[in-house]
Each structure stands twice: as structure tokens, then as C-alpha cells.
PDB file of all heavy atoms in Angstrom:
ATOM      1  N   TYR A   1       0.765  -1.186   0.006  1.00  0.00           N
ATOM      2  CA  TYR A   1       0.005   0.040   0.034  1.00  0.00           C
ATOM      3  C   TYR A   1       0.818   1.266  -0.042  1.00  0.00           C
ATOM      4  O   TYR A   1       0.616   2.216  -0.707  1.00  0.00           O
ATOM      5  CB  TYR A   1      -0.924  -0.016   1.266  1.00  0.00           C
ATOM      6  CG  TYR A   1      -1.760   1.274   1.332  1.00  0.00           C
ATOM      7  CD1 TYR A   1      -2.816   1.493   0.632  1.00  0.00           C
ATOM      8  CD2 TYR A   1      -1.331   2.273   2.297  1.00  0.00           C
ATOM      9  CE1 TYR A   1      -3.686   2.611   0.724  1.00  0.00           C
ATOM     10  CE2 TYR A   1      -2.118   3.465   2.394  1.00  0.00           C
ATOM     11  CZ  TYR A   1      -3.266   3.590   1.572  1.00  0.00           C
ATOM     12  OH  TYR A   1      -3.935   4.758   1.691  1.00  0.00           O
ATOM     13  N   ILE A   2       1.897   1.231   0.788  1.00  0.00           N
ATOM     14  CA  ILE A   2       2.802   2.420   0.928  1.00  0.00           C
ATOM     15  C   ILE A   2       3.552   2.635  -0.490  1.00  0.00           C
ATOM     16  O   ILE A   2       3.676   3.746  -0.966  1.00  0.00           O
ATOM     17  CB  ILE A   2       3.791   2.239   2.000  1.00  0.00           C
ATOM     18  CG1 ILE A   2       3.063   2.216   3.389  1.00  0.00           C
ATOM     19  CG2 ILE A   2       4.932   3.365   2.010  1.00  0.00           C
ATOM     20  CD1 ILE A   2       3.948   1.744   4.582  1.00  0.00           C
ATOM     21  N   LEU A   3       4.018   1.464  -1.001  1.00  0.00           N
ATOM     22  CA  LEU A   3       4.733   1.599  -2.285  1.00  0.00           C
ATOM     23  C   LEU A   3       3.826   2.109  -3.450  1.00  0.00           C
ATOM     24  O   LEU A   3       4.148   2.914  -4.243  1.00  0.00           O
ATOM     25  CB  LEU A   3       5.388   0.222  -2.711  1.00  0.00           C
ATOM     26  CG  LEU A   3       6.598  -0.155  -1.863  1.00  0.00           C
ATOM     27  CD1 LEU A   3       6.927  -1.582  -2.174  1.00  0.00           C
ATOM     28  CD2 LEU A   3       7.732   0.801  -2.011  1.00  0.00           C
ATOM     29  N   LYS A   4       2.577   1.588  -3.407  1.00  0.00           N
ATOM     30  CA  LYS A   4       1.636   2.050  -4.429  1.00  0.00           C
ATOM     31  C   LYS A   4       1.269   3.527  -4.245  1.00  0.00           C
ATOM     32  O   LYS A   4       1.076   4.192  -5.225  1.00  0.00           O
ATOM     33  CB  LYS A   4       0.389   1.161  -4.363  1.00  0.00           C
ATOM     34  CG  LYS A   4      -0.570   1.293  -5.444  1.00  0.00           C
ATOM     35  CD  LYS A   4      -1.644   0.304  -5.456  1.00  0.00           C
ATOM     36  CE  LYS A   4      -2.636   0.453  -6.641  1.00  0.00           C
ATOM     37  NZ  LYS A   4      -2.007   0.256  -7.942  1.00  0.00           N
ATOM     38  N   LYS A   5       1.141   3.884  -2.976  1.00  0.00           N
ATOM     39  CA  LYS A   5       0.587   5.278  -2.656  1.00  0.00           C
ATOM     40  C   LYS A   5       1.806   6.251  -3.048  1.00  0.00           C
ATOM     41  O   LYS A   5       1.402   7.289  -3.570  1.00  0.00           O
ATOM     42  CB  LYS A   5       0.350   5.423  -1.159  1.00  0.00           C
ATOM     43  CG  LYS A   5      -0.454   6.604  -0.827  1.00  0.00           C
ATOM     44  CD  LYS A   5      -1.963   6.331  -1.218  1.00  0.00           C
ATOM     45  CE  LYS A   5      -2.853   7.458  -0.661  1.00  0.00           C
ATOM     46  NZ  LYS A   5      -4.258   7.265  -1.102  1.00  0.00           N
ATOM     47  N   THR A   6       3.084   5.867  -2.958  1.00  0.00           N
ATOM     48  CA  THR A   6       4.169   6.818  -3.204  1.00  0.00           C
ATOM     49  C   THR A   6       4.853   6.517  -4.597  1.00  0.00           C
ATOM     50  O   THR A   6       5.834   7.062  -4.938  1.00  0.00           O
ATOM     51  CB  THR A   6       5.239   6.666  -2.108  1.00  0.00           C
ATOM     52  OG1 THR A   6       5.722   5.289  -2.030  1.00  0.00           O
ATOM     53  CG2 THR A   6       4.659   7.058  -0.796  1.00  0.00           C
ATOM     54  N   ASN A   7       4.124   5.549  -5.351  1.00  0.00           N
ATOM     55  CA  ASN A   7       4.730   5.183  -6.638  1.00  0.00           C
ATOM     56  C   ASN A   7       6.169   4.618  -6.584  1.00  0.00           C
ATOM     57  O   ASN A   7       6.955   4.816  -7.479  1.00  0.00           O
ATOM     58  CB  ASN A   7       4.767   6.309  -7.632  1.00  0.00           C
ATOM     59  CG  ASN A   7       3.331   6.763  -8.044  1.00  0.00           C
ATOM     60  OD1 ASN A   7       2.451   5.897  -8.250  1.00  0.00           O
ATOM     61  ND2 ASN A   7       3.086   8.047  -8.166  1.00  0.00           N
ATOM     62  N   GLY A   8       6.492   4.015  -5.415  1.00  0.00           N
ATOM     63  CA  GLY A   8       7.820   3.388  -5.245  1.00  0.00           C
ATOM     64  C   GLY A   8       8.910   4.379  -5.074  1.00  0.00           C
ATOM     65  O   GLY A   8      10.096   3.962  -5.171  1.00  0.00           O
ATOM     66  N   LYS A   9       8.636   5.660  -4.841  1.00  0.00           N
ATOM     67  CA  LYS A   9       9.663   6.636  -4.803  1.00  0.00           C
ATOM     68  C   LYS A   9      10.570   6.550  -3.513  1.00  0.00           C
ATOM     69  O   LYS A   9      11.684   6.804  -3.464  1.00  0.00           O
ATOM     70  CB  LYS A   9       9.078   8.073  -4.809  1.00  0.00           C
ATOM     71  CG  LYS A   9       8.419   8.433  -6.142  1.00  0.00           C
ATOM     72  CD  LYS A   9       7.876   9.770  -6.059  1.00  0.00           C
ATOM     73  CE  LYS A   9       7.106  10.176  -7.501  1.00  0.00           C
ATOM     74  NZ  LYS A   9       6.516  11.484  -7.335  1.00  0.00           N
ATOM     75  N   HIS A  10       9.915   6.022  -2.504  1.00  0.00           N
ATOM     76  CA  HIS A  10      10.615   5.938  -1.171  1.00  0.00           C
ATOM     77  C   HIS A  10      11.079   4.476  -0.809  1.00  0.00           C
ATOM     78  O   HIS A  10      11.108   4.188   0.471  1.00  0.00           O
ATOM     79  CB  HIS A  10       9.927   6.671  -0.057  1.00  0.00           C
ATOM     80  CG  HIS A  10       9.478   8.026  -0.443  1.00  0.00           C
ATOM     81  ND1 HIS A  10      10.334   9.019  -0.669  1.00  0.00           N
ATOM     82  CD2 HIS A  10       8.260   8.525  -0.644  1.00  0.00           C
ATOM     83  CE1 HIS A  10       9.727  10.141  -0.865  1.00  0.00           C
ATOM     84  NE2 HIS A  10       8.366   9.793  -0.883  1.00  0.00           N
ATOM     85  N   ALA A  11      11.243   3.619  -1.760  1.00  0.00           N
ATOM     86  CA  ALA A  11      11.560   2.279  -1.478  1.00  0.00           C
ATOM     87  C   ALA A  11      12.753   2.031  -0.689  1.00  0.00           C
ATOM     88  O   ALA A  11      12.721   1.307   0.323  1.00  0.00           O
ATOM     89  CB  ALA A  11      11.634   1.382  -2.832  1.00  0.00           C
ATOM     90  N   PRO A  12      13.896   2.631  -0.891  1.00  0.00           N
ATOM     91  CA  PRO A  12      15.105   2.504  -0.058  1.00  0.00           C
ATOM     92  C   PRO A  12      14.831   2.915   1.403  1.00  0.00           C
ATOM     93  O   PRO A  12      15.310   2.213   2.369  1.00  0.00           O
ATOM     94  CB  PRO A  12      16.124   3.430  -0.690  1.00  0.00           C
ATOM     95  CG  PRO A  12      15.709   3.496  -2.141  1.00  0.00           C
ATOM     96  CD  PRO A  12      14.179   3.527  -2.188  1.00  0.00           C
ATOM     97  N   MET A  13      14.146   4.066   1.617  1.00  0.00           N
ATOM     98  CA  MET A  13      13.823   4.483   2.988  1.00  0.00           C
ATOM     99  C   MET A  13      12.932   3.535   3.584  1.00  0.00           C
ATOM    100  O   MET A  13      13.053   3.344   4.900  1.00  0.00           O
ATOM    101  CB  MET A  13      13.214   5.862   2.841  1.00  0.00           C
ATOM    102  CG  MET A  13      14.113   7.061   2.446  1.00  0.00           C
ATOM    103  SD  MET A  13      15.661   7.172   3.638  1.00  0.00           S
ATOM    104  CE  MET A  13      14.758   7.543   5.164  1.00  0.00           C
ATOM    105  N   LEU A  14      11.954   2.981   2.904  1.00  0.00           N
ATOM    106  CA  LEU A  14      11.109   2.064   3.501  1.00  0.00           C
ATOM    107  C   LEU A  14      11.838   0.683   3.933  1.00  0.00           C
ATOM    108  O   LEU A  14      11.502   0.183   5.043  1.00  0.00           O
ATOM    109  CB  LEU A  14      10.003   1.501   2.411  1.00  0.00           C
ATOM    110  CG  LEU A  14       8.889   0.601   2.905  1.00  0.00           C
ATOM    111  CD1 LEU A  14       8.159   1.143   4.104  1.00  0.00           C
ATOM    112  CD2 LEU A  14       8.020   0.218   1.787  1.00  0.00           C
ATOM    113  N   ILE A  15      12.795   0.285   3.152  1.00  0.00           N
ATOM    114  CA  ILE A  15      13.639  -0.858   3.565  1.00  0.00           C
ATOM    115  C   ILE A  15      14.418  -0.551   4.825  1.00  0.00           C
ATOM    116  O   ILE A  15      14.423  -1.401   5.807  1.00  0.00           O
ATOM    117  CB  ILE A  15      14.623  -1.260   2.389  1.00  0.00           C
ATOM    118  CG1 ILE A  15      13.818  -1.803   1.174  1.00  0.00           C
ATOM    119  CG2 ILE A  15      15.629  -2.294   2.897  1.00  0.00           C
ATOM    120  CD1 ILE A  15      14.701  -1.915  -0.023  1.00  0.00           C
ATOM    121  N   ILE A  16      15.021   0.604   4.951  1.00  0.00           N
ATOM    122  CA  ILE A  16      15.744   1.036   6.154  1.00  0.00           C
ATOM    123  C   ILE A  16      14.806   1.132   7.372  1.00  0.00           C
ATOM    124  O   ILE A  16      15.104   0.670   8.433  1.00  0.00           O
ATOM    125  CB  ILE A  16      16.529   2.353   5.883  1.00  0.00           C
ATOM    126  CG1 ILE A  16      17.540   2.119   4.763  1.00  0.00           C
ATOM    127  CG2 ILE A  16      17.068   2.810   7.144  1.00  0.00           C
ATOM    128  CD1 ILE A  16      18.179   3.488   4.398  1.00  0.00           C
ATOM    129  N   ALA A  17      13.672   1.722   7.113  1.00  0.00           N
ATOM    130  CA  ALA A  17      12.713   1.795   8.244  1.00  0.00           C
ATOM    131  C   ALA A  17      12.242   0.499   8.733  1.00  0.00           C
ATOM    132  O   ALA A  17      12.124   0.299   9.967  1.00  0.00           O
ATOM    133  CB  ALA A  17      11.491   2.671   7.730  1.00  0.00           C
ATOM    134  N   MET A  18      11.929  -0.424   7.838  1.00  0.00           N
ATOM    135  CA  MET A  18      11.589  -1.812   8.295  1.00  0.00           C
ATOM    136  C   MET A  18      12.678  -2.455   9.046  1.00  0.00           C
ATOM    137  O   MET A  18      12.355  -3.225  10.109  1.00  0.00           O
ATOM    138  CB  MET A  18      11.211  -2.650   7.055  1.00  0.00           C
ATOM    139  CG  MET A  18       9.893  -2.216   6.321  1.00  0.00           C
ATOM    140  SD  MET A  18       9.564  -3.186   4.887  1.00  0.00           S
ATOM    141  CE  MET A  18       9.294  -4.759   5.608  1.00  0.00           C
ATOM    142  N   MET A  19      13.950  -2.267   8.640  1.00  0.00           N
ATOM    143  CA  MET A  19      15.071  -2.925   9.363  1.00  0.00           C
ATOM    144  C   MET A  19      15.072  -2.344  10.754  1.00  0.00           C
ATOM    145  O   MET A  19      15.273  -3.079  11.758  1.00  0.00           O
ATOM    146  CB  MET A  19      16.365  -2.624   8.646  1.00  0.00           C
ATOM    147  CG  MET A  19      16.468  -3.292   7.313  1.00  0.00           C
ATOM    148  SD  MET A  19      18.014  -2.863   6.400  1.00  0.00           S
ATOM    149  CE  MET A  19      19.229  -3.243   7.532  1.00  0.00           C
ATOM    150  N   VAL A  20      14.952  -0.990  10.961  1.00  0.00           N
ATOM    151  CA  VAL A  20      14.904  -0.399  12.233  1.00  0.00           C
ATOM    152  C   VAL A  20      13.741  -0.844  13.088  1.00  0.00           C
ATOM    153  O   VAL A  20      13.940  -1.201  14.304  1.00  0.00           O
ATOM    154  CB  VAL A  20      14.950   1.116  12.084  1.00  0.00           C
ATOM    155  CG1 VAL A  20      14.794   1.794  13.459  1.00  0.00           C
ATOM    156  CG2 VAL A  20      16.168   1.614  11.444  1.00  0.00           C
ATOM    157  N   ILE A  21      12.644  -0.884  12.560  1.00  0.00           N
ATOM    158  CA  ILE A  21      11.411  -1.337  13.298  1.00  0.00           C
ATOM    159  C   ILE A  21      11.566  -2.855  13.759  1.00  0.00           C
ATOM    160  O   ILE A  21      11.220  -3.106  14.868  1.00  0.00           O
ATOM    161  CB  ILE A  21      10.146  -1.173  12.352  1.00  0.00           C
ATOM    162  CG1 ILE A  21       9.856   0.321  12.094  1.00  0.00           C
ATOM    163  CG2 ILE A  21       8.962  -1.892  13.026  1.00  0.00           C
ATOM    164  CD1 ILE A  21       8.736   0.544  11.138  1.00  0.00           C
ATOM    165  N   VAL A  22      12.096  -3.621  12.941  1.00  0.00           N
ATOM    166  CA  VAL A  22      12.289  -5.085  13.215  1.00  0.00           C
ATOM    167  C   VAL A  22      13.268  -5.195  14.439  1.00  0.00           C
ATOM    168  O   VAL A  22      13.086  -5.915  15.349  1.00  0.00           O
ATOM    169  CB  VAL A  22      12.711  -5.913  12.084  1.00  0.00           C
ATOM    170  CG1 VAL A  22      13.295  -7.340  12.435  1.00  0.00           C
ATOM    171  CG2 VAL A  22      11.629  -6.029  11.046  1.00  0.00           C
ATOM    172  N   VAL A  23      14.424  -4.402  14.371  1.00  0.00           N
ATOM    173  CA  VAL A  23      15.332  -4.488  15.422  1.00  0.00           C
ATOM    174  C   VAL A  23      14.736  -4.009  16.795  1.00  0.00           C
ATOM    175  O   VAL A  23      14.914  -4.696  17.765  1.00  0.00           O
ATOM    176  CB  VAL A  23      16.623  -3.579  15.034  1.00  0.00           C
ATOM    177  CG1 VAL A  23      17.545  -3.478  16.294  1.00  0.00           C
ATOM    178  CG2 VAL A  23      17.389  -4.215  13.872  1.00  0.00           C
ATOM    179  N   VAL A  24      13.980  -2.906  16.731  1.00  0.00           N
ATOM    180  CA  VAL A  24      13.364  -2.403  17.933  1.00  0.00           C
ATOM    181  C   VAL A  24      12.352  -3.363  18.508  1.00  0.00           C
ATOM    182  O   VAL A  24      12.324  -3.650  19.732  1.00  0.00           O
ATOM    183  CB  VAL A  24      12.771  -1.006  17.646  1.00  0.00           C
ATOM    184  CG1 VAL A  24      11.888  -0.566  18.862  1.00  0.00           C
ATOM    185  CG2 VAL A  24      13.749  -0.022  17.289  1.00  0.00           C
ATOM    186  N   LEU A  25      11.472  -3.978  17.686  1.00  0.00           N
ATOM    187  CA  LEU A  25      10.483  -4.801  18.142  1.00  0.00           C
ATOM    188  C   LEU A  25      11.003  -6.112  18.678  1.00  0.00           C
ATOM    189  O   LEU A  25      10.517  -6.722  19.562  1.00  0.00           O
ATOM    190  CB  LEU A  25       9.441  -5.110  17.034  1.00  0.00           C
ATOM    191  CG  LEU A  25       8.596  -3.928  16.512  1.00  0.00           C
ATOM    192  CD1 LEU A  25       7.607  -4.383  15.437  1.00  0.00           C
ATOM    193  CD2 LEU A  25       7.789  -3.378  17.671  1.00  0.00           C
ATOM    194  N   THR A  26      12.090  -6.577  17.977  1.00  0.00           N
ATOM    195  CA  THR A  26      12.777  -7.860  18.442  1.00  0.00           C
ATOM    196  C   THR A  26      13.463  -7.518  19.833  1.00  0.00           C
ATOM    197  O   THR A  26      13.419  -8.407  20.655  1.00  0.00           O
ATOM    198  CB  THR A  26      13.882  -8.216  17.448  1.00  0.00           C
ATOM    199  OG1 THR A  26      13.223  -8.449  16.203  1.00  0.00           O
ATOM    200  CG2 THR A  26      14.530  -9.515  17.900  1.00  0.00           C
ATOM    201  N   TYR A  27      14.065  -6.398  20.008  1.00  0.00           N
ATOM    202  CA  TYR A  27      14.724  -5.997  21.272  1.00  0.00           C
ATOM    203  C   TYR A  27      13.720  -5.994  22.411  1.00  0.00           C
ATOM    204  O   TYR A  27      14.045  -6.496  23.485  1.00  0.00           O
ATOM    205  CB  TYR A  27      15.319  -4.667  21.189  1.00  0.00           C
ATOM    206  CG  TYR A  27      15.980  -4.200  22.462  1.00  0.00           C
ATOM    207  CD1 TYR A  27      17.235  -4.601  22.817  1.00  0.00           C
ATOM    208  CD2 TYR A  27      15.307  -3.241  23.330  1.00  0.00           C
ATOM    209  CE1 TYR A  27      17.910  -4.196  24.056  1.00  0.00           C
ATOM    210  CE2 TYR A  27      15.888  -2.806  24.507  1.00  0.00           C
ATOM    211  CZ  TYR A  27      17.147  -3.352  24.959  1.00  0.00           C
ATOM    212  OH  TYR A  27      17.767  -3.017  25.977  1.00  0.00           O
ATOM    213  N   PHE A  28      12.513  -5.547  22.144  1.00  0.00           N
ATOM    214  CA  PHE A  28      11.458  -5.577  23.202  1.00  0.00           C
ATOM    215  C   PHE A  28      10.674  -6.834  23.247  1.00  0.00           C
ATOM    216  O   PHE A  28       9.577  -6.903  23.800  1.00  0.00           O
ATOM    217  CB  PHE A  28      10.527  -4.319  22.972  1.00  0.00           C
ATOM    218  CG  PHE A  28      11.158  -2.986  23.337  1.00  0.00           C
ATOM    219  CD1 PHE A  28      11.662  -2.148  22.359  1.00  0.00           C
ATOM    220  CD2 PHE A  28      11.304  -2.680  24.713  1.00  0.00           C
ATOM    221  CE1 PHE A  28      12.266  -0.952  22.666  1.00  0.00           C
ATOM    222  CE2 PHE A  28      11.901  -1.418  25.013  1.00  0.00           C
ATOM    223  CZ  PHE A  28      12.344  -0.581  24.000  1.00  0.00           C
ATOM    224  N   LYS A  29      11.034  -7.804  22.462  1.00  0.00           N
ATOM    225  CA  LYS A  29      10.436  -9.142  22.435  1.00  0.00           C
ATOM    226  C   LYS A  29       9.053  -9.154  22.029  1.00  0.00           C
ATOM    227  O   LYS A  29       8.167  -9.857  22.445  1.00  0.00           O
ATOM    228  CB  LYS A  29      10.589  -9.818  23.781  1.00  0.00           C
ATOM    229  CG  LYS A  29      12.063 -10.070  24.214  1.00  0.00           C
ATOM    230  CD  LYS A  29      12.104 -10.723  25.492  1.00  0.00           C
ATOM    231  CE  LYS A  29      13.627 -11.025  25.907  1.00  0.00           C
ATOM    232  NZ  LYS A  29      13.678 -11.664  27.216  1.00  0.00           N
TER     233      LYS A  29
END
């Protein structure tokens, strides 16, 4: 949905954001 809404313009930032979110959520179990 995000990629379609932004026409894929922010794909690299989305990848980095997902990595950060996964690390944080994993840290807090």
C-alpha cells in the first residue's frame, strides 16, 4: 500500500525503516 501510494519513490527509505522497526520490536520481544 505504501509503495503504491508513493509510486515506489521511497523504497530505499522503506527498507531502512523496516530494518529499524524489526530491530526495535525484536529487542522488546
Side-chain angles (χ1 to χ4, degrees):
Y1 176 79
I2 295 171
L3 289 174
K4 189 174 180 63
K5 200 75 174 176
T6 60
N7 292 321
K9 293 180 180 178
H10 307 296
M13 290 301 299
L14 182 60
I15 293 172
I16 295 172
M18 289 180 64
M19 292 173 63
V20 173
I21 292 171
V22 168
V23 169
V24 172
L25 294 180
T26 302
Y27 178 79
F28 287 103
K29 298 182 177 180

